Amino acid sequence: MERIPVIEIFGPTIQGEGMVIGQKTMFVRTAGCDYRCRWCDSSFTWDGSAKDEVKQMTAEDIWQQLKQLGGDRFNHVTISGGNPALLKGLRALISLLKEHNMRIGLETQGSVWQDWFYDIDDLTISPKPPSSNMETNFTMLDTIMERLTAHRGHVSLKVVVFNDEDFSYATYVHQRYPSVPFYVQVGNDHIHEADDVILRLNLLQKLEWLVDKVVQSKEMNNVRVLPQLHTLLWGNRRGV
Ligand SMILES: C[S@@+](CC[C@H](N)C(=O)[O-])C[C@H]1O[C@@H](n2cnc3c(N)ncnc32)[C@H](O)[C@@H]1O
Ligand SMILES: Nc1nc2[nH]cc(C(=O)O)c2c(=O)[nH]1
Ligand code: SF4
Ligand SMILES: [Mg+2]
């Protein structure tokens, strides 16, 4: 059976971001990413700093670990990373989770397509704005959005915003795919801050700034503004 590189499994917690914010869920975080975002809050998935924690797991191993942690207290599993879309082998995990009547969320940046995207219940595509230093491949993103919107699945776009230039990028992406539910998310530029009080204050100020940007924009009448709820609650800790 094909193995999946997993760096952490945690929960039950709540989905802190995006289209199903507040949903009770377990998390499976895969290792490896094709991007290197300047402000990545999960850089341990790709920078080698946690390489000893990566386990090559089968779908059944992952399910056993989820059950051990969550017992009967969950029916939703979110797959994130890193970029889980790099892993063809996730198909087996998705099938197994479906057999166990789980709903499945997945977070990816829209740089790679997988046919198993069709089987995700809550799929978040999160293209990266200029502050990340990454470049969006809009040909690939067009393909992905075309395939997904032709399909009944539950998909959304989520752009993290740190500055005015990012907000312009978010506006552009929203206008390019106007029929897709669109979220702007507060960027956390204090990913090493250990004092939760300082962090919260900073993030709430950024949230107020972002709400104002949306309020003032005639192109952003149909978007939702969200913080990272888990960061407001639990700061920069891992595994929450
Ligand atoms: C760690 S990524 C993993 C999934 C995938 N690689 C992606 O970027 O969509 C999960 C989400 O966290 C967001 N994120 C990463 N670093 C962030 C930060 N410093 N502030 C706010 N959101 C961040 C990403 O934009 C993405 O939407
Ligand atoms: N609670 C919680 N919600 C999240 N939503 C997206 C996350 C991620 O890192 O992908 C995340 C995470 O790490 N924790
Ligand atoms: S794409 Fe996601 S995991 Fe990869 S570097 Fe960017 S934020 Fe981090
Ligand atoms: Mg996160």
Side-chain angles (χ1 to χ4, degrees), residues 14-41:
I14 54 161
Q15 168 56 279
E17 305 178 15
M19 68 198 298
V20 291
I21 190 167
Q23 168 71 50
K24 179 155 84 163
T25 189
M26 300 292 292
F27 275 87
V28 176
R29 192 182 301 283
T30 62
C33 193
D34 47 329
Y35 278 16
R36 300 282 180 268
C37 298
R38 192 181 52 75
W39 36 251
C40 179
D41 65 8

Side-chain angles (χ1 to χ4, degrees), residues 17 29 41-42 80-81 228 230-231 240:
E17 305 178 15
R29 192 182 301 283
D41 65 8
S42 305
S80 186
Q228 285 180 302
H230 55 104
T231 311
V240 290

Side-chain angles (χ1 to χ4, degrees), residues 17 29 33 39-42 80-84 107-109 126 128 158 160 162 185-189 191 228:
E17 305 178 15
R29 192 182 301 283
C33 193
W39 36 251
C40 179
D41 65 8
S42 305
S80 186
N83 187 4
E107 308 264 337
T108 186
Q109 63 264 40
S126 182
K128 296 298 173 264
K158 175 176 78 185
V160 175
F162 285 78
Q185 170 167 305
V186 173
N188 175 12
D189 51 14
I191 52 176
Q228 285 180 302

Side-chain angles (χ1 to χ4, degrees), residues 122-215:
D122 306 312
L123 179 58
T124 296
I125 306 288
S126 182
K128 296 298 173 264
S131 65
S132 68
N133 282 340
M134 298 297 112
E135 191 118 3
T136 304
N137 176 346
F138 277 103
T139 311
M140 173 54 72
L141 194 57
D142 285 349
T143 304
I144 292 174
M145 297 319 293
E146 214 168 278
R147 289 178 183 170
L148 291 172
T149 49
H151 205 264
R152 59 186 166 73
H154 195 189
V155 62
S156 74
L157 283 159
K158 175 176 78 185
V159 175
V160 175
V161 175
F162 285 78
N163 55 37
D164 288 334
E165 204 188 358
D166 288 357
F167 189 78
S168 302
Y169 171 91
T171 305
Y172 174 80
V173 173
H174 177 46
Q175 289 180 311
R176 194 171 176 113
Y177 314 104
S179 65
V180 181
F182 195 86
Y183 294 79
V184 280
Q185 170 167 305
V186 173
N188 175 12
D189 51 14
H190 284 60
I191 52 176
H192 301 296
E193 179 59 66
D195 185 330
D196 291 353
V197 176
I198 293 173
L199 181 64
R200 280 185 196 119
L201 196 62
N202 178 268
L203 292 172
L204 288 172
Q205 281 167 350
K206 297 291 292 283
L207 177 60
E208 196 178 354
W209 170 80
L210 188 54
V211 168
D212 192 55
K213 292 289 289 183
V214 168
V215 166

